[in-house]
Amino acid sequence: MAFTMHVDIVSAEEAIFSGKARMVFAPAVMGEVGILPRHAPLLTQLRPGEVRVQTEDGTEDFFYVSGGMLEVQPYTVTVLADTAVRAKDIDEAAAIEAKQRAEQALKDRKSDIDYARAQAELIEASARLQAIQHLRKKTGR
Amino acid sequence: MAVGKEIRTKIKSIKNTQKITRAMEMVAASKMRKAQDRMAASRPYADKMRAVISHLAHAHPEYKHPYLKPREEVKRVGFIVISSDRGLCGGLNTNMLRALLGEMRQLHKEKVEIDLCTIGKKAHAFFKRLGGNLVGQVDHLGDAPQLSDLIGTVKIMLDAYSEGRIDRLCVVYNEFVNTMTQKAHIDQLIPIEAGELDAQLKHHWDYLYEPEAKAVLDGLMMRYIESLVYQGVVENIACEQAARMVAMKSASDNAGDLIGELQLVYNKARQAAITQEISEIVGGAAAV
């Protein structure tokens, strides 16, 4: 009987595949790699493409990934798939956008936190809640 | 009959409010279930990621990533604050902000400066009102947030760390313990604290990296931090719905009690009016 290894394909939003496999093909950035059991530890980035898993009974499963990471240990293979399309400038644009949103919203900002006021406001809010709970207890609800 | 018209209208308006709170409770309950599923679905990725990172922390790479090395002096700390977009969810955001404020005050005393990134409208409004160095912000993530919505906010902080503007990065969120309990949490993201050692991996080894260690590790670390923040966001949504469900349930109960009391007052008033009328008629008949 051929060696098998454990394969997990997960993305940040869900688990996609988990099971035993004889061989895994993945689209690494340097070219497609085929992983057999007892492969040396490997860590590589994936480009968009197809991950193929040859399961124990010889059938092949296909999964599309839009990039991600591949980790190989002798008896486990983990594909950490991306859910978002990413490239350096897309990420950069997203960062700038988030920053601008903050700046826009904070045009009249004060640079230092008014701790006393913040504290007072929070204390008031929690006191209000406590009072409600207290009242409820008193009326036996 | 004109008796107790004010009471009747009051009862009616409370009933309307109760309808709203009850509907909100049911909506929150069903959303909570979905949020919990989403939380469970995102867990395997974070677990696998953590496993890879802990392998990495104990491998003996020729290139040590900056996120794995703690800095000696901490001058500025970054916080990613995760809150809900909407209110009416009990003390959820208040408790979280209070925990954060305690921490911030402590840091302030130690002359450590603070950068803030907020996720969700409530935290943003809070710091907008009260000041604080806000460097990034995102809101309106909805009930099913996507990782791509968070990339920008997280990247600001990661860049700040790489460029040495901040020396530590923490995430603040609510942990979902169960429906009744949510706990505010402040977790350190970077520098990454290495997990416990995997016994079978104690010998000297290192990964093969393709194309090269730096590029691969950069990509990996970025995804790791993003996945942690994403998990915080998903968990916070489950907390929000749970807290809202509980708050709305007690609101509906209170409305019910109020209606009961008012109904009693109304019935008494009605009874009194009828009795009075009868006695007036009887009195009138006797006089004739």
Side-chain angles (χ1 to χ4, degrees):
Chain A
M1 186 62 217
F3 288 113
T4 57
M5 56 193 167
H6 191 81
V7 180
D8 283 303
I9 303 179
V10 292
S11 81
E13 284 158 29
E14 62 186 335
I16 298 165
F17 174 85
S18 176
K20 295 229 174 276
R22 275 197 235 162
M23 192 166 181
V24 177
F25 299 91
V29 278
M30 306 285 282
E32 190 171 61
V33 288
I35 312 284
L36 284 164
R38 302 212 287 198
H39 194 285
L42 167 77
L43 203 55
T44 182
Q45 282 178 312
L46 298 179
R47 58 182 166 72
E50 212 171 48
V51 175
R52 281 181 292 147
V53 180
Q54 224 172 65
T55 50
E56 266 180 308
D57 51 13
T59 54
E60 272 198 359
D61 284 342
F62 298 86
F63 303 95
Y64 175 79
V65 293
S66 59
M69 308 290 296
L70 173 74
E71 192 228 9
V72 181
Q73 291 281 350
Y75 290 102
T76 52
V77 172
T78 311
V79 178
L80 301 161
D82 283 344
T83 45
V85 179
R86 31 197 340 164
K88 202 164 184 320
D89 29 332
I90 296 179
D91 287 7
E92 200 78 49
I96 290 167
E97 204 181 309
K99 200 176 258 172
Q100 274 170 350
R101 268 198 305 269
E103 276 163 11
Q104 183 130 42
L106 274 192
K107 273 194 178 133
D108 53 338
R109 73 171 166 191
K110 293 151 269 177
S111 60
D112 247 350
I113 293 202
D114 190 344
Y115 279 100
R117 219 176 110 200
Q119 192 92 351
E121 242 174 72
L122 286 178
I123 285 172
E124 203 221 299
S126 60
R128 214 178 306 152
L129 276 169
Q130 241 165 30
I132 292 169
Q133 262 158 20
H134 193 73
L135 261 172
R136 195 170 304 147
K137 223 175 267 164
K138 226 164 127 186
T139 50
R141 269 178 255 153
Chain B
M1 202 167 47
V3 173
K5 188 154 186 293
E6 299 93 339
I7 301 180
R8 268 216 313 272
T9 45
K10 196 153 196 183
I11 289 176
K12 212 170 171 188
S13 93
I14 294 174
K15 268 189 181 150
N16 283 336
T17 310
Q18 193 188 26
K19 269 182 209 154
I20 295 170
T21 55
R22 189 161 288 155
M24 279 181 83
E25 180 196 334
M26 285 191 280
V27 170
S30 90
K31 278 188 177 172
M32 184 186 78
R33 229 157 288 144
K34 277 188 204 137
Q36 268 178 297
D37 291 345
R38 217 167 282 125
M39 205 167 83
S42 73
R43 212 160 257 163
Y45 185 82
D47 288 345
K48 292 290 164 207
M49 206 55 137
R50 206 167 294 129
V52 175
I53 297 283
S54 91
H55 288 169
L56 203 66
H58 298 109
H60 300 270
E62 72 271 38
Y63 169 77
K64 193 103 175 160
H65 199 274
Y67 293 173
L68 291 169
K69 285 182 286 193
R71 293 193 183 154
E72 280 169 21
E73 199 187 1
V74 178
K75 281 198 220 120
R76 195 176 257 274
V77 179
F79 283 102
I80 296 179
V81 187
I82 301 171
S83 72
S84 69
D85 270 338
R86 290 187 211 142
L88 290 182
C89 49
L92 187 77
N93 290 316
T94 318
N95 288 341
M96 184 270 293
L97 289 170
R98 199 157 47 155
L100 172 63
L101 212 67
E103 180 83 10
M104 284 169 75
R105 203 169 218 186
Q106 189 66 33
L107 289 170
H108 190 67
K109 270 188 205 145
E110 292 164 15
K111 303 263 181 259
V112 179
E113 288 180 89
I114 292 158
D115 274 355
L116 293 159
C117 254
T118 59
I119 298 174
K121 256 171 40 190
K122 287 286 158 188
H124 177 233
F126 180 77
F127 287 112
K128 189 181 171 190
R129 203 166 57 241
L130 296 157
N133 188 19
L134 212 56
V135 293
Q137 183 248 328
V138 63
D139 54 26
H140 289 298
L141 293 179
D143 295 319
Q146 287 181 329
L147 191 70
S148 49
D149 299 329
L150 302 172
I151 290 174
T153 320
V154 177
K155 190 174 164 56
I156 289 175
M157 283 305 194
L158 293 184
D159 285 350
Y161 188 85
S162 305
E163 289 160 17
R165 273 183 280 129
I166 58 173
D167 306 300
R168 201 198 303 158
L169 178 60
C170 298
V171 64
V172 191
Y173 66 102
N174 282 296
E175 187 201 355
F176 187 90
V177 183
N178 56 42
T179 316
M180 302 300 287
T181 327
Q182 293 87 33
K183 203 161 152 255
H185 254 271
I186 301 178
D187 288 352
Q188 180 171 322
L189 291 178
I190 34 182
I192 294 164
E193 287 152 336
E196 62 274 20
L197 197 61
D198 216 335
Q200 55 188 2
L201 293 168
K202 265 185 187 155
H203 59 280
H204 266 255
W205 63 281
D206 190 14
Y207 282 109
L208 301 168
Y209 298 99
E210 248 179 82
E212 57 183 301
K214 190 177 176 312
V216 174
L217 289 183
D218 277 348
L220 187 70
M221 292 298 174
M222 189 174 72
R223 286 177 177 80
Y224 176 59
I225 302 297
E226 278 167 7
S227 83
L228 288 181
V229 175
Y230 178 77
Q231 262 233 298
V233 170
V234 175
E235 194 146 345
N236 201 63
I237 288 174
C239 287
E240 181 194 343
Q241 300 301 350
R244 179 165 301 134
M245 193 180 88
V246 172
M248 288 303 123
K249 182 166 173 34
S250 69
S252 307
D253 290 351
N254 287 346
D257 291 336
L258 217 54
I259 290 170
E261 279 163 28
L262 284 175
Q263 194 74 53
L264 208 64
V265 173
Y266 170 72
N267 286 347
K268 271 186 186 155
R270 197 176 73 107
Q271 196 80 52
I274 292 171
T275 313
Q276 196 188 356
E277 208 167 316
I278 290 173
S279 65
E280 271 165 15
I281 293 171
V282 171
V288 171

